[in-house]
Amino acid sequence: MQMHIPVSPIRAVGYSIREGSPEFDDLGASLDEAEALGVDVVELPVYAWHLMVEGRLLANRVKDLQRALTGRKLGYTVHGTLAINLMDIPERLARHEKLLAANIELTAALGAQHLVMHTGVVRAPDDDVEVAYSRQRDALDRAGDHAASLGVTLCVENIFRYGGARETATPSKLAGELAAIDHAAVKATLDVSHAFIRCTDARIDPIAEIAALAPHVAHFHLHDSFGRPSELWTYHPAEAVALGEGDLHLPIGWGGIDWDAVVGAVQPREGAIAIMELEPRHWRELDDQIPVLKALAARFRAFGTIPA
């Protein structure tokens, strides 16, 4: 009798490299490190590099980056500009869309398939939240067409309220928005820690919330925290770690996330990519974290394979 051995739907595992120099002239050492660690892929923090000016790509810098990435035994994903906000007020929306288009073109030029972008936030006190969500849906639909034409998938990441934000999507709200868009090139990045923080803020069940988002997930951001929003004043980032609050990007296993429950609740589609986002102050843990990351990624099961 043949035994069926479940296979994880996650096809590639890696981590986000450190931002380093804004001129990315220290990128070679980061790629050497990743190759030595035996990961499949690294995520490129292009938001921190000098590659764009007012929504326009700097062609010579892009060529420099292409040369630096060529010939490596690694795949790449891209973390795009964090400031892009497709729920911003209408007067500023065109600037966000222009910058997103440049991010899409950069991702394609680097041979990466996934572009991670953050879901939008509402800050303006008089902005209608549901109208803002409508603006984002329309903008993502347009961006999805552009991305699809270049072989790129937009992976919209769940975040939490910060910086005076009135609203940002919970995981289930993001799931509903992506279902409404229903675009093959617009999927989700599930950041598990972000989900726990947002759900603590909203006083809702994080496991049920991430289960709702799971069918849309093409990309994971995996790191640990205690699922607490930042509330207390701290002088130094190390104090936030000592207190156990905020978006800490801890090594997996250092925080309070119930990873067994996460694995049981989340059944992504085949072909997902899992990226660990480790805070640079914990970089000494990277070597030990890679087998932890790989073991965690291997535990996920594909959508529809776990009985209800």
Side-chain angles (χ1 to χ4, degrees), residues 44 46 49 51 62 65-66 69 76 78 105-112:
L44 304 172
V46 305
W49 296 342
L51 292 160
V62 174
L65 183 53
Q66 288 171 322
L69 297 174
Y76 303 108
V78 169
E105 290 157 16
L106 175 61
T107 301
L110 300 179

Side-chain angles (χ1 to χ4, degrees), residues 9-38:
I10 296 176
R11 65 177 170 88
V13 174
Y15 62 92
S16 179
I17 61 174
R18 288 180 282 188
E19 295 167 5
S21 164
E23 301 296 338
F24 50 87
D25 45 16
D26 53 359
L27 177 58
S30 292
L31 300 179
D32 290 344
E33 179 179 49
E35 287 184 325
L37 288 168

Side-chain angles (χ1 to χ4, degrees), residues 21-239:
S21 164
E23 301 296 338
F24 50 87
D25 45 16
D26 53 359
L27 177 58
S30 292
L31 300 179
D32 290 344
E33 179 179 49
E35 287 184 325
L37 288 168
V39 295
D40 307 306
V41 60
V42 293
E43 192 150 289
L44 304 172
V46 305
Y47 58 84
W49 296 342
H50 290 157
L51 292 160
M52 291 169 270
V53 173
E54 211 231 348
R56 173 175 54 87
L57 288 174
L58 299 173
N60 61 329
R61 303 290 182 89
V62 174
K63 289 178 181 177
D64 289 344
L65 183 53
Q66 288 171 322
R67 281 193 290 269
L69 297 174
T70 298
R72 295 286 184 166
K73 299 175 183 177
L74 294 165
Y76 303 108
T77 64
V78 169
H79 199 313
T81 307
L82 279 70
I84 293 170
N85 181 11
L86 299 182
M87 292 174 70
D88 203 354
I89 59 175
E91 293 83 354
R92 294 195 288 253
L93 189 59
R95 292 168 61 192
H96 293 289
E97 291 197 76
K98 181 180 179 183
L99 184 53
L100 177 55
N103 275 256
I104 292 168
E105 290 157 16
L106 175 61
T107 301
L110 300 179
Q113 293 181 340
H114 286 186
L115 169 60
V116 176
M117 60 173 293
H118 285 183
T119 190
V121 300
V122 175
R123 292 192 174 92
D126 57 349
D127 201 3
D128 184 293
V129 168
E130 289 307 318
V131 173
Y133 275 117
S134 177
R135 287 197 295 271
Q136 177 170 251
R137 288 194 299 272
D138 291 345
L140 282 173
D141 192 57
R142 291 189 290 269
D145 288 345
H146 188 195
S149 72
L150 295 174
V152 171
T153 299
L154 297 179
C155 298
V156 184
E157 180 178 353
N158 62 292
I159 56 173
F160 50 89
R161 296 195 303 169
Y162 67 98
R166 290 172 51 213
E167 169 67 8
T168 193
T170 62
S172 65
K173 176 67 172 177
L174 179 57
E177 296 298 293
L178 294 176
I181 296 165
D182 193 23
H183 198 298
V186 183
K187 299 298 181 184
T189 293
L190 171 57
D191 188 306
V192 176
S193 174
H194 289 179
F196 272 70
I197 293 169
R198 180 68 180 98
C199 292
T200 298
D201 178 36
R203 294 179 172 85
I204 53 180
D205 178 9
I207 298 302
E209 287 285 309
I210 63 176
L213 184 58
H216 303 279
V217 172
H219 200 89
F220 286 89
H221 279 170
L222 302 175
H223 49 97
D224 223 328
S225 74
F226 294 90
R228 298 188 188 108
S230 294
E231 295 177 331
L232 300 175
W233 176 85
T234 56
Y235 171 72
H236 193 277
E239 296 182 327

